[in-house]
Amino acid sequence: MYKYIRGQYRDHSHHLFIPRTVTVTRGHPLRLEERRFLHKHRKGFFTILDAVGLDERFKVTIPLLLRQIEGLKLLHKTRNPKTADDKRIVAIRPLRKLGGGAVKPFSLDDTEDDDEDSDDIILLEKKIKSCSMPEPAMKVCMKEMKRLKKMPQSMPEYALTRNYLELMSELPWSKSTTDQLDIRAARILLDNDHYAMAKLKRRVLEYLAVRQLKNNLKGPILCFVGPPGVGKTSVGRSIAKTLGREFHRIALGGVCDQSDIRGHRRTYVGSMPGRIINGLKIVGVNNPVFLLDEVDKLGKSLQGDPAAALLEVLDPEQNHSFTDHYLNVAFDLSQVLFIATANSTATIPPALLDRMEVLEVPGYSQEEKLEIAHRHLIAKQLAQHGLTPEQIQIPPETTLEIITRYTREAGVRSLDRRLGAVCRAVAVKVAEGQHRHGKSETSDVTDVEGESFACSQVFERLNQPGVAIGLAWTPLGGEIMFVEASRMDGEGQLTLTGQLGDVMKESAHLAISWLRSNAKKFQLTNDLLDSTDIHLHFPAGAVTKDGPSAGVAIVTCLASLFSGRLVCSDVAMTGEITLRGLVLPVGGIKDKVLAAHRAKLKRVILPQRNEKDLEEIPPNVRRDLTFIFAGSLEDVLNAAFDGGFFRKRGQELLNSKL
């Protein structure tokens, strides 16, 4: 007899699904799906009943079950399960235990992917536990791991949480490199990589010496300030090589979002950690050398001020617990050696500048450039152009000719490009088979580079009264600056041109006021000052100029204009003035003196209190120049004019009205 017992058609003799005779138990009517199934497969069931042996019945039954399973799979794909736990598993019970083996339950889901994901989560958990991270960070990771295990993979937060845990496991919480503390080897390595830069090398050796005495020394925060092309970035890489540490460069030029430093919060789509944490992940140690390049060119926008976000990073008292918005846990940055580079400190916020140890990196003299070219630049250019030392030899005379006539900069980038042009010209001849082995002469350089564009115009422009030479500091190094003045009949007005800043305009008014108050002493007619309009012009009008150091040059220019005497053509000057005629000290002395040396001037007038700055100037430059230190404007005028400014003149000069 065959009975229907809640979804089962059982043959009591063979325990097989048989729909021949159906007896419906009272209170349990057939479902609509079951009726359709019986009607659709009635022929198959009859075939099963006709088969007597079990082997024949299995051969007929298995295809029928496979078709039913495929249908259920398709039905399962069309439905969206409410939760991941609501997974329908169709289990086919064994019809009979054959040899004691059991049939494995069948799952509609791909169990292989689930097993792989579960294995990855287990490995991730083991990796987190072996990271030796601090207690607060470990608690956060374990909490997120518990959430990840309960979270279905289809949720968007699953990937975010997993990425967060993977980042936490990859950060170097306790992994560090061992510093190389051999001071002699460090000095040799620094001298081989870089010429000059004595102050920077001394600071690195001091750090190594203190590091030998104290193991838990915090990393210093240095700021290299100097013109482009002097090697600020490359010396940072050499410092990392000297210490035996990993090196990572972070370019901050144009960054205007604080999230680049602190990271994004994980609530945002596409959130990621900041550049500091990402750099630690890349280097894989917690004591690398971080180079913050172009820190003076940080921007500011509606997304925040990245310079303010750097305050915590570059503060030795705070960076031991730096908190990135993405991590939301503290990370110790106290062992990181931060090196910032800048062309000028004027655009760095004072609060940020106060946290860094500023080291000036001035420009190179001609002798230093010559040494750098023959130590590093020429060999680099030969390697880049596939030439050998036998094919081209650049003697020091030719290199010096290139430096003096075709370059005028504080660094060596233009010199490097000029040497590259010479190598390319030789490479063309070698490729054509026309080059003969020998040295590059000056005439060859002229054929390659063309006519010199750095011809000196000092002596040509100082051939009339009312012209003086000042010295200016720019982010590109020191420069000589001409000051020109002219007068015409008028009402005593002062006109200033040349894109001057407010400080330089005030210096011009100070110069006029001081000359008027001392007109009798200098035997200048006050009528000229009262009834004459004065026009002061600073050439290179497209360049913005500002600063107090042009005061003495303006006074000398006006004194030359009203006295009719020429300023000495071999003298340049710098210094700030006061209303009482004092000369105050200024900065950038080395760059300014090197600019005067490049312009082939012979004398430089400096403030008296800047005499101590001559120690930074190379000895060969000090030998070529004569320095005159002035404490007042009278000393400046006596040194700027041939024979002194107080030379007795004829009685035809009118007495002053003052």
Side-chain angles (χ1 to χ4, degrees):
M1 181 178 178
Y2 307 102
K3 293 184 179 180
Y4 172 77
I5 303 175
R6 195 59 184 163
Q8 295 182 358
Y9 302 91
R10 189 171 299 280
D11 181 357
H12 294 288
S13 59
H14 298 288
H15 302 283
L16 188 64
F17 298 101
I18 302 172
R20 177 65 60 87
T21 304
V22 179
T23 302
V24 181
T25 308
R26 184 177 295 179
H28 297 282
L30 288 175
R31 299 173 185 172
L32 179 60
E33 294 85 352
E34 294 168 343
R35 294 177 180 174
R36 291 178 178 175
F37 180 81
L38 294 174
H39 181 73
K40 182 178 180 181
H41 300 284
R42 60 183 183 274
K43 293 183 178 180
F45 289 144
F46 293 148
T47 307
I48 294 172
L49 293 176
D50 293 338
V52 179
L54 288 177
D55 295 340
E56 297 180 359
R57 286 192 177 185
F58 275 127
K59 291 180 182 179
V60 179
T61 305
I62 289 175
L64 181 63
L65 293 177
L66 291 177
R67 286 198 300 269
Q68 181 65 12
I69 289 171
E70 293 296 330
L72 291 175
K73 281 186 178 181
L74 183 60
L75 182 63
H76 180 76
K77 291 181 181 180
T78 57
R79 294 180 180 177
N80 294 325
K82 296 181 180 179
T83 62
D85 294 332
D86 187 15
K87 297 179 180 179
R88 297 190 177 184
I89 299 177
V90 177
I92 305 175
R93 297 183 179 179
L95 301 179
R96 183 175 295 175
K97 294 183 179 180
L98 300 176
V103 181
K104 185 178 179 180
F106 173 78
S107 174
L108 295 179
D109 298 307
D110 193 1
T111 57
E112 295 181 0
D113 294 341
D114 294 341
D115 294 340
E116 291 178 0
D117 292 336
S118 61
D119 293 342
D120 291 343
I121 293 176
I122 294 173
L123 293 176
L124 180 59
E125 185 176 6
K126 291 181 180 179
K127 189 176 180 181
I128 291 174
K129 291 181 179 179
S130 63
C131 282
S132 301
M133 64 179 63
E135 187 69 20
M138 182 63 72
K139 289 182 179 179
V140 172
C141 288
M142 290 296 101
K143 182 180 178 181
E144 294 293 332
M145 180 61 67
K146 291 179 181 179
R147 294 180 63 246
L148 183 67
K149 290 180 179 179
K150 298 178 182 180
M151 197 180 303
Q153 299 182 18
S154 58
M155 290 186 63
E157 194 175 354
Y158 180 88
L160 298 178
T161 306
R162 184 163 178 173
N163 292 337
Y164 173 76
L165 292 174
E166 289 178 352
L167 175 65
M168 293 288 284
S169 65
E170 292 174 358
L171 287 178
W173 298 95
S174 58
K175 184 180 179 182
S176 60
T177 56
T178 304
D179 290 344
Q180 299 176 4
L181 303 179
D182 189 353
I183 296 181
R184 292 184 178 179
R187 181 182 283 111
I188 294 173
L189 182 61
L190 289 174
D191 290 339
N192 291 336
D193 289 346
H194 294 275
Y195 185 75
M197 293 188 179
K199 186 183 295 185
L200 270 66
K201 296 176 183 177
R202 184 172 62 250
R203 182 64 183 88
V204 175
L205 296 178
E206 290 172 354
Y207 173 75
L208 288 176
V210 178
R211 183 71 174 77
Q212 284 184 355
L213 304 178
K214 187 177 181 181
N215 292 329
N216 57 349
L217 180 65
K218 293 182 179 180
I221 299 172
L222 308 177
C223 181
F224 298 160
V225 180
V230 296
K232 299 185 297 294
T233 302
S234 60
V235 78
R237 187 176 286 105
S238 295
I239 290 174
K241 183 180 178 181
T242 302
L243 296 175
R245 295 190 179 188
E246 297 291 334
F247 178 80
H248 184 69
R249 175 179 171 269
I250 300 176
L252 296 179
V255 174
C256 56
D257 189 354
Q258 69 163 352
S259 297
D260 284 351
I261 307 298
R262 285 186 171 274
H264 302 83
R265 300 189 185 275
R266 284 190 290 149
T267 54
Y268 296 108
V269 178
S271 59
M272 61 182 65
R275 296 193 179 187
I276 303 297
I277 297 298
N278 191 49
L280 290 170
K281 174 188 172 184
I282 293 174
V283 297
V285 292
N286 62 0
N287 63 340
V289 175
F290 269 11
L291 183 72
L292 305 178
D293 211 3
E294 308 294 350
V295 73
D296 59 328
K297 298 175 179 60
L298 286 170
K300 191 175 181 180
S301 66
L302 297 176
Q303 284 74 31
D305 187 2
L310 280 175
L311 294 179
E312 183 183 3
V313 177
L314 301 181
D315 192 345
E317 302 299 328
Q318 300 180 25
N319 62 8
H320 65 276
S321 59
F322 171 70
T323 303
D324 189 273
H325 287 165
Y326 185 83
L327 295 184
N328 205 23
V329 293
F331 194 94
D332 186 7
L333 299 178
S334 60
Q335 300 302 317
V336 180
L337 174 56
F338 288 101
I339 299 177
T341 66
N343 297 128
S344 172
T345 59
T347 56
I348 302 177
L352 182 60
L353 188 64
D354 181 64
R355 285 163 167 79
M356 299 185 292
E357 179 183 349
V358 178
L359 298 176
E360 297 286 344
V361 186
Y364 297 117
S365 64
Q366 291 184 358
E367 288 72 16
E368 290 173 341
K369 291 181 180 179
L370 181 63
E371 192 69 24
I372 292 171
H374 284 272
R375 283 192 181 189
H376 305 286
L377 300 183
I378 294 178
K380 185 184 75 172
Q381 290 295 336
L382 291 181
Q384 289 181 354
H385 293 86
L387 298 174
T388 61
E390 291 77 15
Q391 292 174 331
I392 177 174
Q393 297 179 8
I394 303 179
E397 296 79 11
T398 305
T399 307
L400 187 60
E401 184 72 16
I402 296 175
I403 293 172
T404 54
R405 295 186 58 192
Y406 297 97
T407 64
R408 179 165 292 180
E409 58 172 353
V412 292
R413 285 180 179 166
S414 294
L415 175 60
D416 193 24
R417 287 191 288 266
R418 296 292 176 179
L419 293 174
V422 174
C423 291
R424 288 192 298 272
V426 174
V428 172
K429 294 182 179 180
V430 170
E432 293 177 350
Q434 301 176 0
H435 179 68
R436 65 181 185 276
H437 301 283
K439 296 183 180 180
S440 294
E441 304 295 340
T442 304
S443 57
D444 299 333
V445 174
T446 305
D447 295 339
V448 175
E449 304 288 357
E451 293 298 328
S452 172
F453 64 89
C455 296
S456 177
Q457 301 178 354
V458 174
F459 303 102
E460 299 176 2
R461 300 179 70 167
L462 290 177
N463 57 1
Q464 58 182 349
V467 182
I469 302 176
L471 296 174
W473 181 90
T474 68
L476 303 179
E479 292 289 343
I480 63 171
M481 177 179 60
F482 290 94
V483 183
E484 301 176 351
S486 63
R487 63 183 184 180
M488 68 271 322
D489 295 336
E491 301 177 354
Q493 296 181 355
L494 176 64
T495 303
L496 300 172
T497 56
Q499 253 193 52
L500 308 182
D502 294 336
V503 178
M504 191 170 284
K505 292 178 181 178
E506 293 174 358
S507 298
H509 288 287
L510 277 174
I512 292 290
S513 300
W514 186 82
L515 282 176
R516 293 186 63 180
S517 63
N518 294 273
K520 182 178 180 180
K521 182 177 181 180
F522 297 137
Q523 300 178 2
L524 299 176
T525 58
N526 205 27
D527 291 338
L528 293 175
L529 297 174
D530 290 339
S531 60
T532 302
D533 289 344
I534 302 172
H535 187 171
L536 272 174
H537 177 64
F538 294 80
V543 181
T544 303
K545 310 171 190 67
D546 200 4
S549 60
V552 294
I554 296 175
V555 171
T556 306
C557 176
L558 293 175
S560 171
L561 177 68
F562 287 105
S563 65
R565 300 177 59 187
L566 295 177
V567 179
C568 295
S569 60
D570 62 344
V571 64
M573 61 200 72
T574 182
E576 182 181 358
I577 63 173
T578 67
L579 195 58
R580 297 186 178 274
L582 300 178
V583 179
L584 302 183
V586 293
I589 294 299
K590 181 178 180 181
D591 289 329
K592 294 176 180 179
V593 170
L594 292 179
H597 187 258
R598 287 196 299 268
K600 298 182 180 180
L601 300 176
K602 299 300 181 183
R603 294 188 296 162
V604 178
I605 301 176
L606 298 175
Q608 183 73 41
R609 291 164 60 182
N610 282 120
E611 186 176 0
K612 63 182 185 302
D613 296 324
L614 294 184
E615 299 177 357
E616 302 178 357
I617 300 174
N620 61 306
V621 177
R622 292 202 299 265
R623 289 194 300 267
D624 295 341
L625 295 175
T626 301
F627 297 97
I628 303 169
F629 300 99
S632 63
L633 286 174
E634 296 177 3
D635 299 335
V636 174
L637 295 179
N638 285 329
F641 292 92
D642 189 14
F645 190 68
F646 294 99
R647 187 181 60 184
K648 297 294 184 180
R649 290 179 290 174
Q651 298 294 327
E652 70 276 8
L653 294 176
L654 299 177
N655 293 329
S656 172
K657 292 183 179 181
L658 295 178

